[in-house]
Amino acid sequence: MDKQVETLQQQLKEQEKLAALGMLSAGIAHEIQNPLNFVINFSKMSGKLMSDLIEIVEDNKDKLSEEDLEEVNDIVADLKDNMSKIVEHGERAISIIRGILLVSRGKDGEFIPSDVAHIVKEYVWLSYHAMRANYKNFNISIHENYQENIPQMMVIPQDLSRAVLNVMNNACYAVWKKQQDNPEYEPKIEVSVKTEGNNLLINISDNGEGMTDEAKQRLYDNFYTTKPIGQGTGLGMGITRDIIESRHGGKITFDSVLNEGTSFTFQIPIRQVK
Ligand SMILES: Nc1ncnc2c1ncn2[C@@H]1O[C@H](COP(=O)(O)OP(=O)(O)O)[C@@H](O)[C@H]1O
Ligand SMILES: [Mg+2]
């Protein structure tokens, strides 16, 4: 079969999977919110009960031996610690779910008020975990830098998340690939989100295998891929450019040095929430 037809069929299958997965994950995210909130709230409440308990013990400390008193205090301190860990990790889970719901809330192609740093963060980690699940020995460090208090802005969250995912997947692959024949090498990806004047800047930089001159020239060509069949379709960057430039009126720039790494920047004009 013609390679392009094969690639296209594969991309269609992937699309189908993604669409089904998107629907499912939105449903799951929604359903998991309530039980998670219960876990968090009951842990918080239990933490408060522990404090009450300590007060009662304090008021009655003359009725306990010194040893028993110490043990009770230790146990309660551990329990309080456990409760706050449950709250912390529960809140982390809620944050992931919020990311998924945020993205699934808008209709196709609809601009809605969004927390862009939150979206970028969640999709960076989704990509990372997908890579970890699919590639053996995938172990990299991710350095994140999100400007604080970026105001909500109008974007198409479904598309923006897709663009972040595409670039992040490529970055993950590039470092993973380089890792295969360089055991000493320390794979690293840096992500930053900030505003500059009227623009939002999202940067994803890797210290992976970098691009050849041919790859740089053909980067956005549909079906251009240097990956083996099944790993790449060559459509990711074309879609990403469409999302950033045509849909959001922004610009993608990149810089890449073979064997050293690649850096992508999305510059998106800020559309304020009215
Ligand atoms: N971060 C990167 N590091 C190295 N090469 C990259 C990177 N991003 C993109 N490329 C090159 O651009 C090609 C096209 O990317 P893309 O359109 O996402 O298709 P695919 O990932 O399916 O190959 C990749 O096959 C790769 O050669
Ligand atoms: Mg890709």
Side-chain angles (χ1 to χ4, degrees), residues 166 169-170 227 236-237:
N166 286 347
N169 283 345
N170 287 343
K227 295 171 190 168
M237 286 314 300

Side-chain angles (χ1 to χ4, degrees), residues 8-9 24 28 51 53 97 101 103 125-126 130 141 157 161 199 205 209 252:
L8 191 58
Q9 280 183 343
L24 257 181
I28 293 170
S51 305
L53 190 65
I97 282 169
L101 286 176
V103 160
W125 288 100
L126 277 178
S141 58
S161 61
N199 289 308
S205 301
E209 58 174 358
I252 305 190

Side-chain angles (χ1 to χ4, degrees), residues 23-72:
M23 269 190 61
L24 257 181
S25 50
I28 293 170
H30 192 76
E31 289 300 313
I32 283 179
Q33 265 192 129
N34 280 334
L36 255 181
N37 275 322
F38 270 101
V39 170
I40 292 168
N41 290 336
F42 276 97
S43 303
K44 280 186 181 163
M45 236 159 66
S46 302
K48 286 209 192 87
L49 289 175
M50 297 288 156
S51 305
D52 294 351
L53 190 65
I54 280 289
E55 266 174 40
I56 294 173
V57 173
E58 276 298 310
D59 291 348
N60 293 278
K61 62 179 168 203
D62 44 331
K63 294 181 189 135
L64 287 167
S65 72
E66 206 168 301
E67 231 171 68
D68 282 350
L69 186 65
E70 200 174 309
E71 202 173 346
V72 169

Side-chain angles (χ1 to χ4, degrees), residues 106-152:
K107 290 193 226 68
D108 258 3
E110 190 186 14
F111 278 82
I112 57 174
S114 304
D115 177 348
V116 284
H118 191 124
I119 292 175
V120 172
K121 183 177 175 62
E122 295 314 338
Y123 279 77
V124 160
W125 288 100
L126 277 178
S127 166
Y128 169 81
H129 288 295
M131 280 300 283
R132 274 187 70 122
N134 287 302
Y135 289 84
K136 264 187 250 148
N137 317 321
F138 183 75
N139 217 327
I140 67 172
S141 58
I142 297 181
H143 299 241
E144 300 166 277
N145 197 342
Y146 305 110
Q147 181 188 311
E148 270 172 57
N149 306 324
I150 298 179
Q152 293 232 329

Side-chain angles (χ1 to χ4, degrees), residues 166-167 170-171 174 206 209-211 215 219 221 224-227 231-238 256 262 264:
N166 286 347
V167 171
N170 287 343
D206 66 72
E209 58 174 358
M211 286 187 242
L219 178 65
D221 290 358
Y224 177 76
T225 179
T226 53
K227 295 171 190 168
Q231 318 270 347
T233 55
L235 292 170
M237 286 314 300
S256 184
T262 303
F264 276 98

